[in-house]
Amino acid sequence: MWEKIDKTEKTILLVASLVSASHLLLIAFAAIFLEISVPTCQPNEKLFDHSSLQSVGYRRYEVHYVAKMWNFEPKKLVLPVGATVDFFLASKDVNHGFNIDGTNVNLMAVPGVVNREVQTFRAPGIYHVVCHEYCGYGHQNMNAVIEVTDRVNEAQMDPVEPGSIAHELKEANPLAASGKKLYQLRGCVACHSLDGTPATGPSFKGLWGRIEEMQDGLKVKVDAAYIAESIKMPQAKIVKGYGPVMPLLGLTDDEINAVTEFIKTVK
Ligand code: CUA
């Protein structure tokens, strides 16, 4: 049978088989050695409109990201080196992209749909998340940051890990604990440090009860009303030495209470 086939045809058959085989090998190589996974639509996943970070095992996390005009929630995420993260992505308004620089995570945020991809972060560093799908006026400034560090251990990350800072906080003051979570998830962490270092905004350390001087010379005591006003109307009062750059986060009154309780604990 084989002998009867024309020589050119044989060559073509051989080349075609080799090409098909090499494609399969490359796919296997990408999946196994490069750990490239295919983003998947999650038809059974419940839609969500709030971001969250959950520890689901040893160095295993599930993060729900919300994309909206024109930012991501959480704006900043801090993870320990070696963390494997399930990214779940939803959009509040239009189509957005979700691309994590330096990784193979490349997702679309589509309204009404939850998309998912898994990524392990082996190297410490700053990973930039960008929206790579044109989504309107603010598209080019739509970004977020994932910081992977070996200075954070899982005990600090995991809100239920016994002995962790968050756990102690939770035991003593559940409201402050959820405030701390909001602080991390809603991006306050990007501008307000906890160790006294001034950043884009004033540090939360020792903030509660302090007398702050505003740009116009007005002196204000940091109490619940001031914090609520600063979150609801970020531009109402600007502390001297800082710019009017705080975004409107749209926190609910309950969330503001929790953040206030948390700020009280940062001494
Ligand atoms: Cu969102 Cu571009």
Side-chain angles (χ1 to χ4, degrees), residues 210-230:
R210 194 158 70 199
I211 308 287
E212 291 276 50
E213 189 180 351
M214 302 299 136
Q215 252 171 8
D216 56 6
L218 188 76
K219 295 217 164 86
V220 180
K221 185 173 176 189
V222 178
D223 57 10
Y226 169 77
I227 293 172
E229 183 191 58
S230 301

Side-chain angles (χ1 to χ4, degrees), residues 53-55 157-181 262 265:
L53 162 69
Q54 249 185 307
S55 167
M157 290 295 300
D158 187 345
V160 289
E161 192 84 52
S164 70
I165 296 169
H167 180 79
E168 279 167 33
L169 203 58
K170 194 167 197 159
E171 292 298 286
N173 188 342
L175 197 56
S178 47
K180 178 166 188 176
K181 230 174 166 178
F262 170 59
T265 67

Side-chain angles (χ1 to χ4, degrees), residues 20 46 49 84 108 126 145 159 168 181 198 205 207 234 255-256 264 267:
S20 307
K46 228 180 119 226
D49 58 3
T84 298
M108 289 286 295
I126 303 286
V145 154
E168 279 167 33
K181 230 174 166 178
K205 186 178 180 177
L207 183 62
E255 288 173 330
I256 292 174
K264 285 185 193 171
K267 288 174 184 148

Side-chain angles (χ1 to χ4, degrees), residues 192-204:
H192 300 281
S193 78
L194 299 182
D195 60 2
T197 319
T200 311
S203 175
F204 280 177

Side-chain angles (χ1 to χ4, degrees), residues 96 131 133 135 139 142:
H96 296 278
C131 174
E133 174 76 20
C135 56
H139 161 73
M142 183 165 168

Side-chain angles (χ1 to χ4, degrees), residues 42-48 64 114:
Q42 305 292 111
N44 299 320
E45 195 71 27
K46 228 180 119 226
L47 263 181
F48 54 91
H64 286 70
V114 177

Side-chain angles (χ1 to χ4, degrees), residues 67-72 93-97 130-136 138-143:
K68 57 181 186 200
M69 289 168 168
W70 285 281
N71 58 56
F72 291 108
D93 34 53
V94 299
N95 283 2
H96 296 278
V130 292
C131 174
H132 60 326
E133 174 76 20
Y134 183 73
C135 56
H139 161 73
Q140 66 166 351
N141 294 321
M142 183 165 168
N143 54 44

